[in-house]
Amino acid sequence: SMGKTRTNIWRLLALFALIIAGLLIYSYPRSVLSPKVLEKKAQSRRLIPEKVDEILPFLEANHYSTELAILVDMSLSIHQKRMYIVNPQTKQILHSCLVAHGKGNQSSEDKVYFSNVPNSFCSSLGKYKIAERYTGRFGDSYRLDGLDSTNSKARKRAIVFHYYEHQSSSESIGPHYFSEGCPMLAEEDWRIVDEYVKVQDKRCILWIFS
């Protein structure tokens, strides 16, 4: 009888421990990033200095800001911080954040299909000049001019740099929305990037690569 009581106590304690563990797991945000994905993300960050070296001569030759450039690595998924705000002179990453891609041509969270075609709702690869700042249907925004053959119709397609008030800035807590082809941020990230862009004497480049 004594042994039976002891067994029951241990069972109750084990059950109690399971309940506590379950509550703790449930209350913490669960990351959507697996170790494999985290390694891919770390690799992306390591490549940024090389990408800066690649674009710096273009910035200098065409009189764009060499103190600020925005790089987007579309090889990462929509749930990863794949937009990098960098100082090309120092290669320092000043800020990184989530950015949406276009929903067109059955683009998924992990796979982006690119197009320069009007009404395709796809993102376009290439370099963009961050042009005039304006207030539109998504609030404060920047118009974008595509500088490559892959994104030459950006202005015609109304591809702009803007935020969406329901977009989350957290990797592990959604929601993360698709766009209609625009590089779209959470508002808090857009405000940070906007402050960097506004103080530049020269126009800045936004470069989307994969």
Side-chain angles (χ1 to χ4, degrees):
S1 175
M2 190 73 181
K4 202 173 182 181
T5 307
R6 197 172 286 146
T7 305
N8 285 339
I9 288 167
W10 278 114
R11 276 182 183 156
L12 279 169
L13 283 170
L15 184 64
F16 186 65
L18 276 172
I19 290 165
I20 293 292
L23 285 169
L24 284 171
I25 289 162
Y26 186 75
S27 63
Y28 281 96
R30 280 153 292 179
S31 176
V32 293
L33 307 181
S34 67
K36 188 179 172 184
V37 166
L38 285 168
E39 175 47 40
K40 198 175 178 189
K41 194 179 147 193
Q43 194 179 347
S44 173
R45 275 185 90 92
R46 286 196 294 270
L47 277 174
I48 292 303
E50 281 179 39
K51 286 289 175 187
V52 169
D53 282 342
E54 201 179 318
I55 202 168
L56 193 54
F58 175 85
L59 302 179
E60 289 168 341
N62 295 282
H63 309 291
Y64 287 105
S65 173
T66 55
E67 289 173 21
L68 193 78
I70 301 172
L71 276 53
V72 180
D73 183 356
M74 284 289 186
S75 71
L76 299 179
S77 97
I78 205 165
H79 304 295
Q80 292 157 53
K81 292 184 177 182
R82 56 188 181 172
M83 175 176 273
Y84 305 96
I85 290 68
V86 280
N87 180 329
Q89 289 177 357
T90 63
K91 298 183 187 177
Q92 184 189 358
I93 296 172
L94 306 169
H95 184 65
S96 64
C97 58
L98 297 162
V99 58
H101 60 255
K103 63 185 179 183
N105 196 19
Q106 297 176 317
S107 284
S108 66
E109 294 169 7
D110 302 307
K111 176 72 180 165
V112 190
Y113 289 97
F114 302 101
S115 175
N116 193 28
V117 176
N119 303 315
S120 65
F121 296 145
C122 286
S123 294
S124 302
L125 291 169
K127 297 183 289 296
Y128 297 81
K129 177 174 81 176
I130 299 177
E132 66 272 23
R133 194 178 186 279
Y134 73 104
T135 304
R137 67 183 176 117
F138 292 107
D140 298 329
S141 310
Y142 284 96
R143 298 203 191 278
L144 296 173
D145 289 312
L147 303 175
D148 295 312
S149 59
T150 48
N151 63 358
S152 58
K153 293 179 181 157
R155 191 173 278 257
K156 185 181 175 182
R157 293 177 60 206
I159 300 299
V160 299
F161 185 33
H162 68 88
Y163 63 85
Y164 180 49
E165 59 187 17
H166 301 298
Q167 185 81 303
S168 171
S169 64
S170 164
E171 288 180 318
S172 53
I173 305 164
H176 304 144
Y177 291 95
F178 294 97
S179 70
E180 293 185 350
C182 299
M184 179 179 83
L185 308 185
E187 184 172 2
E188 62 189 273
D189 286 316
W190 195 93
R191 296 283 170 212
I192 291 166
V193 179
D194 182 37
E195 287 306 314
Y196 281 119
V197 173
K198 275 197 299 195
V199 296
Q200 298 304 311
D201 296 330
K202 296 176 179 176
R203 291 288 189 194
C204 298
I205 287 292
L206 186 156
W207 181 24
I208 297 176
F209 56 88
S210 184

